[in-house]
Amino acid sequence: MKNPLFLIAALRRRPLLAWTLFFYIPVSLVAAVSIIGAQRYTQKLNAELANGQHTVAVAGCITAFGEQISKSILLIEKSVHDKTSPGKSVYELQVAADRLDQTVNAFNDGSEVVAPDGVRFMVDSVTDEKALAVLQEMNVIWVGIKTRADAVVLTSGPKKQNSEGIPFTESALSEASSFVASQQTRLSEQALAFSRRLEQLANDRVKALETPRTALIGVAVISLLLLPGAFFINRVRGARNAAASLAAELGASQTKLEAQSQALSIAKAETDRIMETVQEGLLLIDARGIIGDYHSRELTSILRQEQLAGRSLLGILERLLSEKMFRTTKDYIDLLFDAGRKEKAVLKVNPLTDIEVNFPNPSGGFINRYLGFSFRRIVENGAVSRVFVAVRDITTQIELEKKLRDSEQHKDRQLDILLGIVHVAPDELEAFITLVETELDTINDTLRAEHLVAAGGQGEALRERLQTVFRCVHNLKGNAAVLKLTTFQKAADLFETKLNELLSRPVLTGDDFLSVVVAQAGLRVDLGDLKELRGKLVGLRQPVGAPDASAQPASAIASPAVQIGAGLRQLVADAARDLDKATTVTIDEYALHTVAVDRPALVRDVLIQLARNSLAHSVEPAPLRLAGGKPAVATLSVRSLPRSADGLVGIAFRDDGRGLDLEAIRTRAESAGLLAPGSSHAPADIARCIFAPGFSTAAAVGAHSGRGMGMDIVKSKVVDEAGGVIEVHSTPGQFCEFHLYFPSASAA
């Protein structure tokens, strides 16, 4: 073993080693041990805090589950009182009861539960005397609530095989609801006291851990302060020795800096050339949105602005974007500078990938362009200092994509039309085309600018023109449904939706008709496609050398009456299937021939609307018919009527349904202002209201009812157009029959 004096002499020659062995290492060990101890106490403290928070949160859920049980039983009681289905209320009651039962049992016995934030953790059984006393009181209350909840679930839930559920009565539910409501208040009070006691216990455990942790932190801080103090003293001593060598190094550093400055100048010149020639707008913005000193020359061309450096990018965009889009852009730029957000996630929600902007046009108006923005963050010291922005003018790309989409949609629509007409007979298709042309011409004449100007400021005059358009569209829709031309049926239905929205407005102006003109133009485009496809289809159907259809004998071509009857049968079959109402049709084709010989289109339109009206409002579902002593299958019939005294020929359209609901018609007519409320009205006056434009007793708009235009079309066609007469005969619960009289062909 070496002499201790020798070791002391060696350490004096090497002061750094002496300081390290006798000061730095011991003090560092004390600091390390203190820090490790403090960290362990911190971990225990955090775990205790988290466990306490979760435990208190779970205890707080007892009140929420109890309130859900009370609410669900009230909803079930209401559904029983209203004789409606309880819906999800039974399921929600069972779930709340199970969750509350699991929570109470967890505190009783100790088990795993799920906190409100979704974290699973183990709850220890309650041992504290005060908390245990409250828990026992909650158990007593919960047993009473659970008994009622389980009984409600048993009686109102889906019945399993061999189940012996108690009959489900409103009085039983009322008792259960009253009991649970009263006990819920007690349960809430006990749950609150239980939560507070658990919170107090958690705070006591936390305080017990904070004292040793604070002491260890103090030791660590003192030790760490001693280390740099001693180190600083030694550094001052070494600094004097290093000063001489530093002066020598300064000369070498100056030479190196001059070389680096020259390299930077070359790099800047190359960057400037790149920024002048790149085809994108490149720039940097700071957290305030201010554009940096350097940007690409193309940026001034894209944004049509000069001297962009130092200006606010948001200020420039505010004049180009809509108010809503500008707010979105401002929020997104703030999000880009939020270092706490992952860049990949932020870039995914970029709202500026393709935005529409409007530049002022020197000649007047605006220039519409589309711009695409992309962003990249520049992070320094954990913070986003700048954002790199690249801007491209993508107008040409967007316009090409739009043209491609429009072309594809047009082709898809043409295909739908083609698939719809392949099964339609040529003469029926020709009649439909004629009908569409006629109705569109009527709409066009109704919407002529001079007519709208003449009616300007006259709301009722504009409303009458809308009603005329509505009748034309509704008639077109009915005929499209007969031929199963779904493209025209859907287009007409959308058209009707727009018209219905306009009619519901309290005030109308000529500008409101713009959407009607656009919808009419869309129908004309479809009509043009239909004509084009009709010509191509005729060429495919007529092989070379085949005889001309015009040369066929008259007997080979179906008469108008036969065509009307066939179309009516098809319409009834389709509508009855949609409405789940079994229905048959009996038609006297001779009677149809008598009235339709010189007006086939008019008679067809009227019968279509009458059939749709009967199926929607009069014909009952099969179960109701059987309950009323009727056959399950309803019958619609068309028969002839004797010639009237003034020489009119007529047909009768009858259904054996529930007939006219005069009370419902009266109520609806009074609310619509057609009848004076509270006055007595003759049945004929009430029945006459069904022919008013827009009148319907349907609760909601559907494919076959709710628009209120079907009977208006019947009246318009029979009375206004043909000069005929309509009679309505109805016996509630038995039938509804319309007598339609027309001037004979000879009289016409």
Side-chain angles (χ1 to χ4, degrees):
M1 183 174 180
K2 294 185 178 180
N3 190 340
L5 294 177
F6 175 78
L7 292 176
I8 293 173
L11 290 174
R12 291 187 64 181
R13 290 193 299 270
R14 303 181 65 181
L16 180 59
L17 178 60
W19 275 95
T20 301
L21 290 176
F22 297 105
F23 184 85
Y24 290 124
I25 291 179
V27 174
S28 297
L29 289 174
V30 171
V33 170
S34 300
I35 292 172
I36 292 173
Q39 287 178 340
R40 289 181 178 178
Y41 274 100
T42 299
Q43 291 172 354
K44 292 180 181 180
L45 185 62
N46 291 338
E48 188 61 43
L49 283 172
N51 187 67
Q53 290 173 353
H54 287 151
T55 302
V56 172
V58 170
C61 290
I62 293 175
T63 298
F65 291 143
E67 290 173 350
Q68 180 61 50
I69 291 172
S70 180
K71 175 185 174 184
S72 299
I73 293 177
L74 283 173
L75 291 176
I76 295 171
E77 179 186 2
K78 184 178 183 300
S79 68
V80 172
H81 177 74
D82 297 340
K83 296 181 180 175
T84 60
S85 171
K88 295 182 178 179
S89 299
V90 176
Y91 171 76
E92 292 172 350
L93 170 59
Q94 185 171 7
V95 170
D98 290 342
R99 293 291 297 278
L100 200 154
D101 190 57
Q102 292 172 2
T103 303
V104 172
N105 288 335
F107 285 111
N108 285 328
D109 305 323
S111 62
E112 186 180 57
V113 295
V114 180
D117 58 1
V119 175
R120 288 184 172 273
F121 74 106
M122 182 64 67
V123 172
D124 296 327
S125 60
V126 176
T127 56
D128 179 71
E129 292 182 357
K130 292 183 179 180
L132 192 58
V134 177
L135 178 60
Q136 289 174 350
E137 180 65 22
M138 283 198 297
N139 280 324
V140 174
I141 299 172
W142 168 233
V143 168
I145 296 176
K146 185 175 186 298
T147 301
R148 267 56 170 197
D150 290 344
V152 172
V153 172
L154 177 63
T155 56
S156 60
K159 299 298 184 292
K160 300 180 180 178
Q161 188 175 5
N162 300 324
S163 65
E164 298 180 356
I166 302 173
F168 199 61
T169 63
E170 186 176 352
S171 61
L173 276 174
S174 177
E175 187 278 332
S177 176
S178 300
F179 178 82
V180 171
S182 63
Q183 293 300 308
Q184 167 56 26
T185 303
R186 294 182 57 205
L187 182 64
S188 298
E189 293 173 354
Q190 295 301 323
L192 178 59
F194 187 65
S195 298
R196 288 176 176 173
R197 181 55 182 169
L198 292 180
E199 185 176 4
Q200 182 180 355
L201 293 174
N203 289 335
D204 292 342
R205 291 192 294 270
V206 168
K207 290 179 180 178
L209 293 172
E210 283 181 342
T211 301
R213 187 190 68 160
T214 303
L216 289 172
I217 291 175
V219 173
V221 169
I222 294 173
S223 300
L224 293 175
L225 289 175
L226 290 174
L227 289 173
F231 180 77
F232 176 74
I233 294 173
N234 290 325
R235 290 294 296 173
V236 170
R237 186 185 303 163
R240 291 196 298 268
N241 299 328
S245 60
L246 180 60
E249 292 176 356
L250 285 176
S253 298
Q254 182 65 29
T255 304
K256 185 177 180 180
L257 287 174
E258 291 177 354
Q260 290 178 345
S261 177
Q262 185 178 3
L264 288 174
S265 299
I266 296 173
K268 182 181 179 304
E270 294 177 350
T271 301
D272 290 342
R273 285 193 291 271
I274 293 174
M275 297 293 277
E276 290 176 359
T277 57
V278 72
Q279 296 300 307
E280 291 184 355
L282 305 180
L283 66 150
L284 290 172
I285 59 173
D286 60 17
R288 298 176 300 160
I290 302 300
I291 300 174
D293 294 337
Y294 296 98
H295 56 78
S296 65
R297 181 179 302 228
E298 184 67 14
L299 183 65
T300 59
S301 175
I302 293 175
L303 297 181
R304 289 173 165 77
Q305 300 275 343
E306 298 292 339
Q307 303 298 327
L308 294 173
R311 296 178 58 184
S312 170
L313 178 62
L314 288 172
I316 296 172
L317 294 179
E318 185 176 12
R319 294 190 292 271
L320 304 177
L321 301 175
S322 65
E323 182 180 355
K324 179 179 179 181
M325 191 62 200
F326 173 73
R327 290 198 303 268
T328 302
T329 301
K330 185 176 182 301
D331 293 340
Y332 182 69
I333 290 179
D334 292 339
L335 192 64
L336 283 169
F337 281 93
D338 185 355
R341 306 278 185 171
K342 292 184 178 179
E343 182 175 30
K344 187 175 181 181
V346 173
L347 296 181
K348 279 185 178 180
V349 297
N350 179 10
L352 305 176
T353 52
D354 50 43
I355 58 171
E356 182 179 2
V357 297
N358 296 292
F359 293 103
N361 190 343
S363 303
F366 292 91
I367 300 174
N368 179 261
R369 308 296 291 175
Y370 290 91
L371 304 181
F373 287 74
S374 58
F375 304 90
R376 287 293 183 273
R377 290 168 162 181
I378 299 175
V379 180
E380 296 178 352
N381 299 324
V384 181
S385 60
R386 296 284 190 276
V387 170
F388 173 77
V389 185
V391 190
R392 293 181 296 116
D393 188 331
I394 57 174
T395 304
T396 303
Q397 174 186 339
I398 294 295
E399 290 176 347
L400 288 175
E401 291 176 354
K402 184 178 183 300
K403 288 181 180 178
L404 180 60
R405 285 195 303 269
D406 292 344
S407 176
E408 290 176 349
Q409 292 174 358
H410 187 228
K411 289 179 180 178
D412 291 341
R413 200 169 183 85
Q414 283 186 324
L415 179 59
D416 290 341
I417 294 174
L418 178 61
L419 294 175
I421 66 176
V422 292
H423 67 279
V424 181
D427 53 343
E428 294 179 341
L429 186 60
E430 188 64 35
F432 179 75
I433 290 175
T434 302
L435 168 73
V436 177
E437 290 177 335
T438 302
E439 299 294 11
L440 288 179
D441 288 343
T442 302
I443 294 173
N444 186 62
D445 183 65
T446 305
L447 299 177
R448 289 177 62 182
E450 57 268 25
H451 292 168
L452 294 179
V453 171
Q458 303 177 22
E460 288 306 315
L462 294 175
R463 199 172 298 276
E464 289 176 3
R465 291 192 172 276
L466 270 184
Q467 296 286 5
T468 300
V469 175
F470 213 144
R471 281 194 292 271
C472 295
V473 176
H474 196 75
N475 188 37
L476 188 155
K477 175 183 173 181
N479 281 270
V482 171
L483 299 179
K484 294 186 177 181
L485 297 176
T486 55
T487 300
F488 284 88
Q489 187 177 356
K490 291 178 181 178
D493 190 62
L494 291 174
F495 202 160
E496 285 184 336
T497 301
K498 295 178 182 178
L499 293 170
N500 199 50
E501 191 274 330
L502 289 177
L503 286 171
S504 64
R505 296 182 181 180
V507 179
L508 286 174
T509 65
D511 294 338
D512 294 329
F513 283 71
L514 179 60
S515 62
V516 180
V517 174
V518 173
Q520 179 223 25
L523 277 176
R524 284 201 178 275
V525 172
D526 290 340
L527 178 61
D529 291 338
L530 177 60
K531 288 181 177 180
E532 179 183 353
L533 293 170
R534 185 265 315 263
K536 294 179 180 179
L537 191 60
V538 169
L540 294 174
R541 285 174 170 169
Q542 184 70 37
V544 178
D548 188 357
S550 62
Q552 297 180 17
S555 60
I557 301 176
S559 67
V562 173
Q563 291 181 352
I564 293 172
L568 189 62
R569 290 186 180 92
Q570 184 63 55
L571 171 67
V572 171
D574 294 339
R577 182 178 60 253
D578 293 343
L579 298 171
D580 195 18
K581 298 179 179 180
T583 310
T584 60
V585 185
T586 61
I587 299 175
D588 182 352
E589 293 185 352
Y590 180 76
L592 275 182
H593 174 75
T594 302
V595 299
V597 62
D598 59 338
R599 55 178 72 84
L602 185 147
V603 173
R604 178 195 64 220
D605 296 344
V606 169
L607 291 179
I608 287 173
Q609 300 304 330
L610 288 176
R612 288 162 65 92
N613 182 73
S614 291
L615 285 166
H617 298 285
S618 185
V619 173
E620 315 97 322
L624 293 181
R625 292 181 61 84
L626 292 173
K630 295 182 179 181
V633 179
T635 300
L636 306 183
S637 61
V638 179
R639 59 182 177 82
S640 64
L641 292 171
R643 188 181 294 269
S644 67
D646 49 0
L648 300 178
V649 295
I651 57 172
F653 179 90
R654 178 189 179 100
D655 66 70
D656 61 349
R658 60 171 61 94
L660 294 180
D661 187 347
L662 294 180
E663 182 60 26
I665 295 172
R666 183 190 64 78
T667 301
R668 179 70 181 87
E670 288 180 354
S671 65
L674 299 176
L675 295 175
S679 303
S680 61
H681 305 284
D685 294 333
I686 297 175
R688 192 177 296 113
C689 294
I690 67 175
F691 297 102
F695 184 87
S696 177
T697 58
V701 175
H704 302 283
S705 64
R707 300 292 190 185
M709 298 306 299
M711 300 309 296
D712 180 34
I713 291 175
V714 172
K715 182 256 182 186
S716 176
K717 295 284 184 182
V718 176
V719 178
D720 301 336
E721 185 175 336
V725 177
I726 303 175
E727 294 179 359
V728 183
H729 304 271
S730 175
T731 298
Q734 298 298 321
F735 74 90
C736 183
E737 185 169 285
F738 294 87
H739 291 183
L740 312 173
Y741 291 96
F742 302 88
S744 63
S746 58

